[in-house]
Amino acid sequence: MPDINLCLEALSALSGCSVELTSGASQLTPQDFVNIVALKQFYKQEGFKELEYPSLGTLSLQDDGDLYGPPPALTEGPPPSIKATMKINIQDFFDPMFDYDFTNIQDGNTQFLRGNEKYVRPCGWNRVALRVNQRYDDGNGWLGTGKDAWPVSYHGHNMDGSLGIILTHGGDPSEEPRFLETAANSLITTEKKGRGVYSTPDVKMAEKYCKTFKSNVDGKMYKVVLQNRINPKERKKCQREDVWLVYIPEGRNDVQTRAIVQESIRPYGLLLKKV
């Protein structure tokens, strides 16, 4: 496992919170963490400035900038908002038994499957495993390699409707032919962004939109991405093959929106890559 302080910095960079250690129980679970990352991006693209999350309170949706770089220059106007603090316990948040360093691995033409779908392994990245084993009521089948496993997806910090997979005129993914036609037409009109949470099965694409931070541990720059499993029943394949959407219908309140994300995306790895 990489230096624990580096891992905390990576979690802080992704979430926009100040992630600290505690000897007690973790304040939030890995599932809460991916909820926060996904919901912050979703509400930001919806035009909101803040997100309310249970046990954390109000989270700013403003750009965090370089979390560990020099402080911004003083300007007139209100002071920047104070970052929420998230406390985690190493023992119940991370699972070192399943860490895997892909930094110097190249798969070439070797193919891997998860849930009978192609799995592009995160070659070039160092994976820090999150403790999700036996944490869900439906067991661990979603995390396996068999036909019941969920496909792998990667979440980059800035993945949203600007990727070009755009819903316009009320397109509904449940009506797939109409949805695909609407998405195709919207590639030309680009009238508004799609409504939902975006991820990708291609780690190289996630890297283009990932968060970068400078570490106080070694002074190096790092990229960070979340490795997740995505519920195939909730995921919608978009016009672009390398982009997946968890669709959030209009009219859903905060609790319902959080439930959709929680039922659709489960994290299991924190990926780090030195720039």
Side-chain angles (χ1 to χ4, degrees), residues 12-17 40-41 43-45 47-51 59-72 79-83 156-160 209-213:
S12 298
L14 264 180
S15 66
C17 300
K40 286 187 73 172
Q41 191 59 46
Y43 281 113
K44 184 176 180 180
Q45 75 172 354
F48 291 88
K49 302 297 183 184
E50 296 177 332
L51 164 69
L59 306 179
S60 172
L61 303 184
Q62 304 302 308
D63 188 6
D64 303 313
D66 184 356
L67 192 62
Y68 295 100
S81 58
I82 298 175
K83 296 182 184 298
H157 177 72
N158 290 317
M159 294 189 69
D160 60 24
Y209 298 92
C210 74
K211 187 73 176 179
T212 302
F213 68 97

Side-chain angles (χ1 to χ4, degrees), residues 126-154:
N126 191 352
R127 183 175 71 203
V128 182
L130 305 178
R131 190 171 294 279
V132 293
N133 195 30
Q134 302 297 339
R135 293 292 180 91
Y136 295 90
D137 293 338
D138 57 356
N140 288 330
W142 66 277
L143 192 56
T145 59
K147 61 182 181 61
D148 294 329
W150 291 7
V152 174
S153 78
Y154 300 96

